Structure formats: structure tokens, C-alpha cells
Amino acid sequence: MAATKAPDAPTQTDEPPIEFHDVGIAAVRLGLKTEAEHQAGSKVGEKWLRDGYNRPADGSKGRQFPGRYMAGRLKFTEADLAVIAEIALEESDAKREARANAKPKPSTGRPRRLRKTPALAGT
């Protein structure tokens, strides 16, 4: 039986390792809150990121945000954050267009009720 050659040793690449951000830092990187707010313990934008990640896969509630769970925590890469920003811009543009193209609500024909003025004291 002939000897088999061992696989080549992995070579070091010039690419930096992928950096993962937790939900709080991702909200800072997306501009949803400031670094000072993050240091103070603010949760601004974190629920929006989690809800976007947990959207149904069928797309009924919008496109699902990319990300992954590592060690029980939701993590995002820089590429994920770029896609999330793109999704948010698309959705905000779609909402803006829907508002602009919406039909005006039909009038019911009833006038608005006027408030009755309170009785003057002492008359």
C-alpha cells in the first residue's frame, strides 16, 4: 500500500478575522443610539434588531435581518449591518410611497361634534 500525502498546513491569510458585534454595539454602529447611551445602559434600537432577526422566514412581515446566535447571544458582522441598513431604507421608502399613494378617507357626512363650553361661574 502506498503512503498517502498529508494535507498541506493551513497558511495564514492577509484577511483580518471576522468581527462580531452584539446587539448593543450593532445599534450603535447603525446609528440608533450613541456610544454614551450604550455605556449608560440604554436599550434603544435593540428590540428593533431582535424583532427584525426573528421575522418569519416566509417574508410576511418583511425581510428577515441577517445575523447568528453564538453562545446564546445574537451577533452581527459588518456585512450583516450593511444589509440591515439596506433593508431599513427599502422599507422606509416603501412606507413613504404607500402614504403618498393612499386614497383619502371617504367622508362620512357627519360634522364633527363641537365641545360644549362650560358654564360661566357667577352668572
Side-chain angles (χ1 to χ4, degrees):
M1 183 158 134
T4 58
K5 184 179 175 191
D8 294 334
T11 58
Q12 213 173 32
T13 61
D14 294 335
E15 296 177 14
I18 297 175
E19 186 176 342
F20 292 95
H21 305 292
D22 67 348
V23 180
I25 297 295
V28 172
R29 304 281 296 165
L30 286 171
L32 301 174
K33 64 180 175 179
T34 63
E35 183 66 35
E37 290 173 331
H38 177 66
Q39 295 297 329
S42 174
K43 301 288 184 191
V44 173
E46 294 181 17
K47 183 179 184 310
W48 179 76
L49 284 169
R50 290 180 194 283
D51 289 348
Y53 178 80
N54 292 319
R55 288 178 178 173
D58 64 0
S60 61
K61 303 264 183 183
R63 283 176 51 195
Q64 204 173 20
F65 289 174
R68 63 204 41 82
Y69 272 97
M70 295 174 62
R73 303 192 74 135
L74 183 57
K75 302 282 185 173
F76 300 99
T77 62
E78 287 294 325
D80 293 341
L81 297 179
V83 172
I84 290 170
E86 178 184 318
I87 291 170
L89 287 174
E90 288 173 3
E91 289 177 357
S92 64
D93 288 343
K95 284 182 183 179
R96 189 177 304 114
E97 287 178 19
R99 266 187 251 123
N101 297 334
K103 293 181 184 177
K105 293 183 180 179
S107 173
T108 60
R110 282 180 53 187
R112 290 186 175 180
R113 289 179 45 175
L114 300 176
R115 286 188 184 171
K116 294 182 180 180
T117 57
L120 299 174
T123 40

